[in-house]
Amino acid sequence: MLYKDQIDTNKVPQHVAIIMDGNGRWAKQHGHHRTYGHQKGAETVRKVVETAASIGIKYLTLYTFSTENWNRPEEEVTALMDLLFQSIEEETFMTKNISFRVIGDMQRLPQKVQERLNQCMEHTAQNTRMCLVLALSYSAKWEITEAVRQIARKVSKHEIDIDAINEDLISSQLSTHFMPDPDLLIRTGGEVRLSNYLLWQCAYSELYFCDTFWPDFQDEEFYKAICEFQNRERRFGKTSEQIVND
Ligand code: IPE
Ligand code: IPE
Ligand code: MG
């Protein structure tokens, strides 16, 4: 039986985060340049966005370019920025009723990319079916450092009291403040690490790792991850008996 048919439509994760890894190795395996792997990866993004929206996921957060990725060869960084520029399809988001957001240090992105992203965010802000979030020039340590700085500033201006600093306040200062924490985090490409992604927000996320390189990540694999998520018991520190009786 297909995983697609096993999904419980009443238990779809609200927020799915994905570390889209393996474009370079996919390209190498097929005798292509890394850039071609990224192009194929962008095609997978299009499909996954559509699939996520169609099964009722409300927030999809894709790790697209990390702070650390700035250290890649200049040629690859440029190719990725060009690909990003070409891939922002505002019309598609409008047709599909998807709102678009970016988290990360946008100022480091090329000017023309920033402009296109900002315009797309503005124009799609009222769309309600799903929110697609790209993590760009993003790292969790960068984000947390920014939040700490922001809070310290408010304390020094006496806008907040030190004793008012709690988990909710910290969450409200993160770039993800507008959405719930991820229920499910998927990483493709075989590595079993978080690579500085959503470290605060994934404190209680279910983690799913698969070996498939991102360009080969098909719908069925996505459905498989959702099914596995639905079969896990999220206890949040409680006992199994407490969860059953809830
Ligand atoms: C993920 O694929 C895309 C980005 C990090 C931009 P990689 O480019 O990391 O692919 P591998 O890990 O080298 O195969
Ligand atoms: C993580 O992949 C970042 C993105 C998918 C954008 P990397 O390929 O950069 O991760 P590491 O360096 O292997 O951990
Ligand atoms: Mg990689």
Side-chain angles (χ1 to χ4, degrees), residues 20-27 34 38 63-66 69 72 76 80 187 189 191 213-214:
M20 312 182 288
D21 198 18
N23 292 348
R25 279 164 289 159
W26 181 91
R34 293 181 61 85
H38 294 312
Y63 207 4
T64 308
F65 191 84
S66 71
N69 289 150
R72 290 196 177 189
E76 180 167 348
L80 281 166
R187 181 173 189 145
E191 310 299 351
F213 294 141
W214 178 248

Side-chain angles (χ1 to χ4, degrees), residues 40-217:
K40 294 303 269 186
E43 285 174 27
T44 307
V45 171
R46 273 181 221 112
K47 277 192 293 168
V48 164
V49 168
E50 173 54 31
T51 306
S54 71
I55 59 176
I57 288 167
K58 283 293 166 196
Y59 299 90
L60 179 68
T61 307
L62 304 178
Y63 207 4
T64 308
F65 191 84
S66 71
T67 304
E68 290 75 18
N69 289 150
W70 286 116
N71 299 320
R72 290 196 177 189
E74 198 185 323
E75 184 204 348
E76 180 167 348
V77 171
T78 307
L80 281 166
M81 291 301 142
D82 289 345
L83 181 61
L84 175 62
F85 184 76
Q86 290 156 21
S87 306
I88 306 303
E89 294 163 358
E90 196 181 303
E91 302 78 41
T92 314
F93 296 141
M94 293 314 288
T95 322
K96 295 182 191 288
N97 191 16
I98 290 171
S99 66
F100 174 76
R101 309 259 318 220
V102 173
I103 55 170
D105 189 0
M106 273 183 72
Q107 319 237 321
R108 289 185 74 177
L109 301 171
Q111 192 62 33
K112 68 167 192 174
V113 174
Q114 285 187 42
E115 281 163 17
R116 180 162 283 195
L117 294 169
N118 279 325
Q119 189 182 324
C120 189
M121 282 194 265
E122 231 171 82
H123 291 172
T124 63
Q126 306 306 323
N127 292 346
T128 52
R129 187 155 154 254
M130 185 180 80
C131 180
L132 169 67
V133 184
L134 295 191
L136 282 172
S137 190
Y138 172 90
S139 76
K141 288 190 176 182
W142 164 82
E143 174 185 49
I144 293 167
T145 307
E146 286 299 306
V148 169
R149 202 176 282 150
Q150 196 62 24
I151 293 168
R153 209 172 277 133
K154 287 182 194 212
V155 169
S156 72
K157 286 197 207 152
H158 303 287
E159 286 170 15
I160 51 168
D161 193 76
I162 285 185
D163 294 325
I165 300 174
N166 57 22
E167 290 183 12
D168 285 344
L169 181 89
I170 294 172
S171 293
S172 76
Q173 300 304 309
L174 299 175
S175 57
T176 50
H177 61 86
F178 58 92
M179 54 183 169
D181 287 343
D183 301 294
L184 170 64
L185 171 80
I186 297 171
R187 181 173 189 145
T188 65
E191 310 299 351
V192 187
R193 55 178 173 250
L194 295 178
S195 301
N196 218 347
Y197 193 41
L198 301 172
L199 297 183
W200 172 277
Q201 298 87 340
C202 285
Y204 255 112
S205 305
E206 295 299 325
L207 309 181
Y208 180 91
F209 297 96
C210 65
D211 289 333
T212 313
F213 294 141
W214 178 248
D216 283 335
F217 188 76

